Amino acid sequence: MSVNAANGLAAPEGDDVQLIYYYYEVARGLTGGTADDAATAYSRILTFSAPTADKKARTLANSFIPDLFAAFADRQDLASRAVESMIDFCEDEDTKIRMGTIKRLPDMAVHSHSDSDKELIIDILIQLLQAQVPAELQIVRSSLEKAAVQLPAVASRQLWALASSTKEPVLQEVAVSWITASGKSILGSAPEFGGGGIAAVKNITDVKMLGRLLPTLLSLQSMKGGDDEGSKQLLTDLLDALVAKAPEASLLTDSDATSQEYIAFLPKWVVNILSRHASSNSLIKYLASTAVPAILNKTISDPKGQIHILRLSVEGCASVPASTEFGIFIPKLKDLVIFLAQNLENDKKLASNPESLECNWAVLEPAVIAIYIAIRRAPSYPISTDSSPDLTPALRAICSEAQLAIPNLRRRLAQHKPESDEAIKAEKTRLQCNNVLEVAREMLKLPALRSKNPPQVRFSWRPRAVAPVPAAAVQKKQKVGPSQASVPSQTQPNGSGKKVNLKRRASELGRQPSPRTPEHVSDGGTRAGRRRGGAGRKRK
């Protein structure tokens, strides 16, 4: 290889290996050359990353380029060329050269003065997660973790950018897999990681992808919630991002499968976020301006879609910080309750056998509970009968229907074997009807909405709490002998000739407060003010 003397480098004649050693000495300043000579020598070393160069020369260049990088990092053009040369080595046919390059990339990223070069290096490391050689893949993972720890802001930005991009699905999958597997432990303490995740949520349209990423975000220490204002704001920002993706009024229809999928996806995550003291203002505003009007306009007539929206309404109204948007939401909820009551009366008039008509309590329950909680949490809202006379007939109609339905639901429950699927379904329907009755009765006493003893209800869509039987109790039960057979059993008939274990039913259907509602919520078949004592206690 010949050297042009005009470049100021009087290199000796020899093979490529000798030339690289000479350029290395000049670049390090060992020959007494100028700074320009050193830069020129480093530039010459970079040319040996070409696939056509001799293998020994490529191996030396692969070692010298990262060794000298810090000395020339302030010369942007030269530093960027060095990064490009190392990326060429990442595609080298020799496995050892590739693995040696991957090991050195994190150090180059740390010394680089260019954010674009840092992001390029991390981007390459993410792409290399597709490596097929196990040893090489292990080095890639180690280098990516090292680069991410040293450059959390850059790594967070690049990972979330790839995770939210649909242009390259393979890279998106690689980034998402790394985030969900290692993101929390490697980058969880970096503020940029949480913020980048929230920004990515705004751009990700696939519900399944969101379902994979949200658990990682919500598991971060910065999003634990509570009284910390910083975490409250992050959670509120995350909720705002999810709500902002909710379908617009023009898309919120029964025939739009994508809208239905997202509306069904929201409740689980909204409950999780709101339970951590996030603000529900954006959610309430969306429900008041788009979702509930879609039910009123019959754009959403499918009960499933209505149930998703109305349960979101309850969760938003019951969130820990009171929303400032109750003023615009309560009138919409009032119109909705009137609308549902009118539909109920019309259906009974048109039915051939009104007594056999089954009301959809799954829709009525969240609608009635939502307006009740909203009014209780908005002290400035007028609640007297004079200010809202049109709501009273609707509540009376709903209350009357619930009173008629409960005996039938109890009889239906008694016809099924305890703990069977049919019995569980019937009990859930009875719980829904009972909740409607309790709340409607209380609302008919409108001044009592501010009372200290609200009705006792338990949201039917919350999971059932089944208390496990202690092992000691099971063992003791097994040891009961014949002499103890005369001890009275704590069971009572349920009206069908079958025995119901009161302790078990009390644990399954007991009054357990919700952690988030502003009132005590539990399931009770009787009025809260009448019930005395615990389940199974005999009145003296």
Side-chain angles (χ1 to χ4, degrees):
M1 181 175 182
S2 62
V3 180
N4 191 339
N7 289 328
L9 297 178
E13 293 293 335
D15 58 17
D16 289 350
V17 173
Q18 291 176 320
L19 285 174
I20 289 180
Y21 275 117
Y22 171 71
Y23 293 143
Y24 178 73
E25 292 179 354
V26 175
R28 289 192 59 189
L30 301 177
T31 61
T34 65
D36 289 340
D37 290 338
T40 301
Y42 189 59
S43 177
R44 291 292 180 83
I45 295 175
L46 299 180
T47 62
F48 287 95
S49 65
T52 54
D54 180 71
K55 180 179 178 180
K56 292 183 179 179
R58 296 201 316 274
T59 303
L60 280 176
N62 180 250
S63 175
F64 290 160
I65 290 173
D67 284 347
L68 298 167
F69 182 79
F72 300 98
D74 58 341
R75 304 187 65 153
Q76 186 56 53
D77 293 343
L78 203 56
S80 295
R81 282 186 56 202
V83 172
E84 292 289 348
S85 295
M86 293 298 280
I87 292 175
D88 290 340
F89 282 129
C90 289
E91 300 175 350
D92 198 281
E93 60 182 11
D94 188 276
T95 304
K96 291 184 178 179
I97 292 179
R98 292 200 308 269
M99 293 169 65
T101 303
I102 295 167
K103 286 182 179 180
R104 304 298 300 274
L105 283 177
D107 294 332
M108 292 183 67
V110 171
H111 288 111
S112 175
H113 295 178
S114 167
D115 285 345
S116 60
D117 286 343
K118 293 177 181 179
E119 291 182 354
L120 179 59
I121 290 173
I122 292 178
D123 176 72
I124 291 300
L125 289 173
I126 295 172
Q127 293 190 48
L128 290 172
L129 288 172
Q130 304 172 69
Q132 300 298 317
V133 180
E136 183 178 351
L137 180 59
Q138 183 60 37
I139 293 176
V140 172
R141 289 172 176 166
S142 177
S143 293
L144 180 56
E145 290 179 5
K146 183 179 178 182
V149 169
Q150 294 174 332
L151 300 165
V154 178
S156 299
R157 192 162 57 242
Q158 190 63 14
L159 282 162
W160 284 118
L162 289 173
S164 60
S165 174
T166 57
K167 294 180 180 179
E168 298 178 271
V170 175
L171 282 183
Q172 183 187 31
E173 174 59 32
V174 168
V176 170
S177 297
W178 194 89
I179 287 172
T180 54
S182 306
K184 177 187 173 183
S185 58
I186 303 298
L187 296 170
S189 60
E192 297 85 359
F193 187 70
I198 293 172
V201 167
K202 297 178 181 178
N203 299 321
I204 296 174
T205 56
D206 183 44
V207 169
K208 292 182 180 179
M209 191 69 73
L210 285 173
R212 292 173 60 188
L213 292 172
L214 285 173
T216 298
L217 279 174
L218 291 172
S219 66
L220 299 179
Q221 187 64 35
S222 58
M223 290 195 181
K224 290 298 182 183
D227 296 329
D228 178 56
E229 291 298 329
S231 61
K232 282 183 185 179
Q233 188 57 51
L234 278 176
L235 289 165
T236 298
D237 291 344
L238 178 59
L239 181 62
D240 291 349
L242 288 172
V243 172
K245 297 167 62 63
E248 298 177 357
S250 59
L251 299 176
L252 203 61
T253 62
D254 290 338
S255 59
D256 193 314
T258 303
S259 296
Q260 291 179 1
E261 184 181 19
Y262 194 78
I263 290 298
F265 166 83
L266 272 181
K268 173 184 175 181
W269 302 107
V270 165
V271 171
N272 193 316
I273 295 171
L274 289 177
S275 66
R276 306 180 186 209
H277 296 238
S279 169
S280 62
N281 287 339
S282 60
L283 175 65
I284 296 296
K285 187 179 293 185
Y286 167 74
L287 292 168
S289 62
T290 300
V292 171
I295 299 176
L296 292 169
N297 299 333
K298 299 184 179 181
T299 305
I300 299 180
S301 57
D302 180 42
K304 290 184 179 180
Q306 294 178 353
I307 290 169
H308 289 313
I309 289 172
L310 294 177
R311 288 178 179 175
L312 273 175
S313 300
V314 174
E315 302 296 353
C317 291
S319 61
V320 176
S323 174
T324 59
E325 305 296 336
F326 282 151
I328 65 171
F329 194 33
I330 292 175
K332 297 294 182 182
L333 290 173
K334 186 171 69 171
D335 292 342
L336 178 65
V337 171
I338 295 170
F339 171 77
L340 294 176
Q342 291 175 346
N343 286 347
L344 179 60
E345 291 181 333
N346 292 335
D347 290 342
K348 293 205 72 170
K349 290 178 181 178
L350 298 175
S352 57
N353 186 4
E355 294 183 359
S356 63
L357 179 67
E358 294 188 1
C359 177
N360 194 337
W361 300 109
V363 174
L364 270 172
E365 178 199 24
V368 173
I369 292 178
I371 190 171
Y372 173 75
I373 295 176
I375 292 178
R376 280 189 64 87
R377 304 201 70 191
S380 61
Y381 193 83
I383 60 174
S384 66
T385 53
D386 294 335
S387 63
S388 56
D390 52 345
L391 184 60
T392 303
L395 289 172
R396 285 176 178 166
I398 293 172
C399 187
S400 175
E401 186 64 29
Q403 287 176 317
L404 294 173
I406 281 184
N408 294 331
L409 292 172
R410 287 175 177 165
R411 282 193 294 270
R412 186 191 305 174
L413 177 61
Q415 294 171 359
H416 300 293
K417 183 178 180 181
E419 297 306 310
S420 65
D421 291 341
E422 294 80 3
I424 293 173
K425 184 177 179 180
E427 171 59 24
K428 186 174 183 179
T429 303
R430 187 206 65 78
L431 175 58
Q432 292 167 347
C433 182
N434 182 78
N435 287 345
V436 172
L437 178 61
E438 292 291 316
V439 175
R441 278 175 172 172
E442 189 71 15
M443 291 189 72
L444 286 171
K445 306 183 301 180
L446 288 178
L449 285 174
R450 293 174 183 165
S451 66
K452 295 181 179 180
N453 298 313
Q456 303 292 308
V457 298
R458 176 171 62 85
F459 300 163
S460 65
W461 58 90
R462 296 282 178 82
R464 291 199 320 155
V466 180
V469 179
V474 174
Q475 186 176 6
K476 184 177 180 181
K477 182 177 180 181
Q478 292 173 347
K479 291 183 178 180
V480 174
S483 62
Q484 296 175 310
S486 61
V487 176
S489 172
Q490 291 195 12
T491 59
Q492 290 184 358
N494 64 358
S496 62
K498 300 179 180 179
K499 298 291 185 178
V500 179
N501 189 304
L502 295 183
K503 285 187 175 180
R504 183 182 65 189
R505 297 303 291 172
S507 66
E508 294 173 357
L509 308 175
R511 301 180 173 228
Q512 298 184 358
S514 166
R516 291 178 43 249
T517 53
E519 299 84 25
H520 297 291
V521 289
S522 62
D523 170 35
T526 59
R527 298 283 294 174
R530 296 180 188 173
R531 181 160 181 167
R532 299 177 183 275
R537 181 184 299 177
K538 295 182 179 180
R539 183 178 298 176
K540 295 182 180 180

